[in-house]
Amino acid sequence: MAYIEFKNVEKYFGSNHVLKGIHMEIEKGQFVTLLGPSGCGKSTLLRCLAGLETIDGGEIYLDGEEITHKEPKDRNIGMVFQHYSLFPNMTVEENIAFGLKLKKMDNAEIKRRVADAIRMVELEGKEKQHPVNLSGGQQQRVALARSIVMEPKVLLLDEPLSAIDAKLRKSLQASIKQITKKLGLTAVFVTHDQDEAMVMSDVIHLFHDGQIEQSGDPVSVYTKPVSSFAAGFIGNYNLLKPEEFELVTGRKREDNREVALRPETFSISHQPIMNEDEYHFEGIVESNSPRGNVLRYTVNINGIPIHIDALFRSRVLFEDGSKVYVSVAEKNCIAL
């Protein structure tokens, strides 16, 4: 049996069917991400695992024990929220120690655990500070320390980084993953950010309308989308209907299936491309937008706008309105 198991979990809010027969297994020590747009059910499932929401059908198991109807305090699950929920009148170390004191743990053990947690989240020197004197990233580290100090069976993280600026967010992503791996924690992370999911996860479960659309490791979910929704949500795919695919490539699809093409799989050049095993076509650059070290071009090919990503090299740029030659390998044309 898996370490965490959801069996046919159902959840309603009034007439709104939020979770529709969720089946999911999570192995011990995995960092698992529930990914999807707002309202798809990912945070609700997390709260059901924590015991903060009851379910209307199905069963939930943790470490071989059914916990479907257990009180939250009896599940030994830690949770970090988007809003830090720190006690403003307590110092950093007092916030971290709060749960341990409720358990009436020995003072020496509390002191040891708190010191270890502070060191792990790199907040040495901030022990006597109050939350109001900390940055958002530091407050989130306190919230994380407060959870891991309890040595939970599972750590749940509900979009904990969404309110933090981009540079600090990347640093905290690395810290959270490193800490969970070091402690051997099983972690379930909720986000709507596909890049965040790709960076942090061992396994991604992509949610859509209360169901799991696709599951797998980040590479397989990215490179092998199973549906138009999966391709549209992960990887910024170009999605072409059969007739659009024929207009772009000049090839007719006999299976009449939609095709997904990743922007980075195209080649683009000022000169004709001679690769024999690829589709070749010409187009006109409509626009471009910088994305870090990548420049995304929108190229009009027989009336169909195609997004193409190329490394940002100042000596090889394609001006708006210019004619370009484009190719893509048949293996990168994914039928959905």
Side-chain angles (χ1 to χ4, degrees):
M1 176 179 276
Y3 191 61
I4 302 171
E5 191 170 1
F6 298 91
K7 291 186 176 181
N8 198 33
V9 170
E10 302 276 347
K11 178 64 180 177
Y12 290 84
F13 290 121
S15 60
N16 186 16
H17 197 179
V18 181
L19 297 175
K20 304 173 181 177
I22 296 293
H23 290 272
M24 184 196 297
E25 294 185 353
I26 297 173
E27 299 300 331
K28 189 171 185 178
Q30 282 185 330
F31 195 107
V32 173
T33 296
L34 312 184
L35 174 67
S38 297
C40 67
K42 57 190 188 297
S43 288
T44 299
L45 187 69
L46 198 78
R47 291 175 64 85
C48 290
L49 177 55
L52 302 177
E53 297 284 356
T54 58
I55 62 175
D56 299 307
E59 300 165 343
I60 303 174
Y61 292 86
L62 172 59
D63 196 14
E65 177 187 5
E66 185 180 357
I67 61 169
T68 310
H69 303 294
K70 264 196 166 189
E71 291 294 321
K73 64 182 178 63
D74 298 324
R75 298 190 183 201
N76 194 17
I77 291 176
M79 194 160 185
V80 180
F81 298 93
Q82 178 181 345
H83 303 292
Y84 319 125
S85 302
L86 302 178
F87 297 109
N89 60 324
M90 293 185 182
T91 64
V92 166
E93 61 185 3
E94 287 170 343
N95 265 284
I96 295 171
F98 183 76
L100 300 176
K101 289 181 177 179
L102 283 182
K103 285 192 166 185
K104 302 188 185 304
M105 192 171 286
D106 178 73
N107 284 335
E109 178 64 10
I110 291 175
K111 189 174 182 179
R112 183 191 67 78
R113 285 203 196 184
V114 169
D116 286 347
I118 286 174
R119 186 166 52 252
M120 196 164 290
V121 298
E122 299 179 355
L123 283 175
E124 296 98 323
K126 303 291 184 182
E127 293 89 345
K128 303 300 182 183
Q129 297 285 334
H130 288 81
V132 70
N133 302 121
L134 303 177
S135 68
Q138 289 170 337
Q139 290 184 52
Q140 192 58 278
R141 289 174 187 265
V142 177
L144 176 61
R146 186 177 57 185
S147 288
I148 63 177
V149 79
M150 302 299 294
E151 299 183 353
K153 285 187 172 182
V154 182
L155 180 63
L156 308 183
L157 303 113
D158 191 4
E159 302 204 52
L161 307 180
S162 59
I164 296 172
D165 67 81
K167 184 177 181 180
L168 181 57
R169 187 171 183 164
K170 291 183 183 300
S171 173
L172 287 176
Q173 287 171 359
S175 294
I176 289 172
K177 188 168 185 180
Q178 182 182 26
I179 289 168
T180 55
K181 291 299 180 187
K182 183 176 181 179
L183 296 176
L185 281 173
T186 305
V188 186
F189 185 83
V190 164
T191 184
H192 60 272
D193 186 322
Q194 57 157 312
D195 293 332
E196 191 164 75
M198 294 288 292
V199 166
M200 300 186 70
S201 312
D202 297 318
V203 176
I204 295 172
H205 296 285
L206 177 61
F207 275 64
H208 180 216
D209 192 25
Q211 296 177 304
I212 298 174
E213 186 84 2
Q214 184 171 355
S215 299
D217 65 87
V219 172
S220 65
V221 170
Y222 181 74
T223 59
K224 299 174 183 176
V226 299
S227 66
S228 298
F229 173 80
F233 197 84
I234 298 181
N236 301 299
Y237 278 80
N238 294 284
L239 300 176
L240 301 181
K241 297 175 182 177
E243 60 272 18
E244 293 174 327
F245 182 81
E246 185 176 357
L247 279 171
V248 169
T249 65
R251 307 292 180 90
K252 184 176 179 61
R253 290 199 66 85
E254 300 299 331
D255 57 14
N256 203 38
R257 293 161 69 183
E258 194 171 18
V259 178
L261 302 99
R262 294 199 311 279
E264 72 271 17
T265 60
F266 290 88
S267 297
I268 182 171
S269 174
H270 288 297
Q271 304 297 326
I273 300 171
M274 306 308 294
N275 300 335
E276 295 181 359
D277 59 343
E278 297 190 353
Y279 297 126
H280 300 85
F281 24 86
E282 302 172 9
I284 302 296
V285 176
E286 289 187 339
S287 64
N288 66 82
S289 59
R291 300 186 173 215
N293 64 336
V294 168
L295 199 59
R296 174 161 295 173
Y297 294 97
T298 300
V299 179
N300 187 309
I301 300 172
N302 293 329
I304 308 298
I306 299 294
H307 299 303
I308 297 173
D309 287 350
L311 286 177
F312 204 148
R313 296 170 178 156
S314 59
R315 68 181 185 277
V316 184
L317 296 175
F318 304 93
E319 301 293 334
D320 292 357
S322 62
K323 180 179 178 179
V324 291
Y325 296 89
V326 178
S327 71
V328 66
E330 183 176 5
K331 67 182 180 179
N332 290 319
C333 301
I334 303 169
L336 302 175

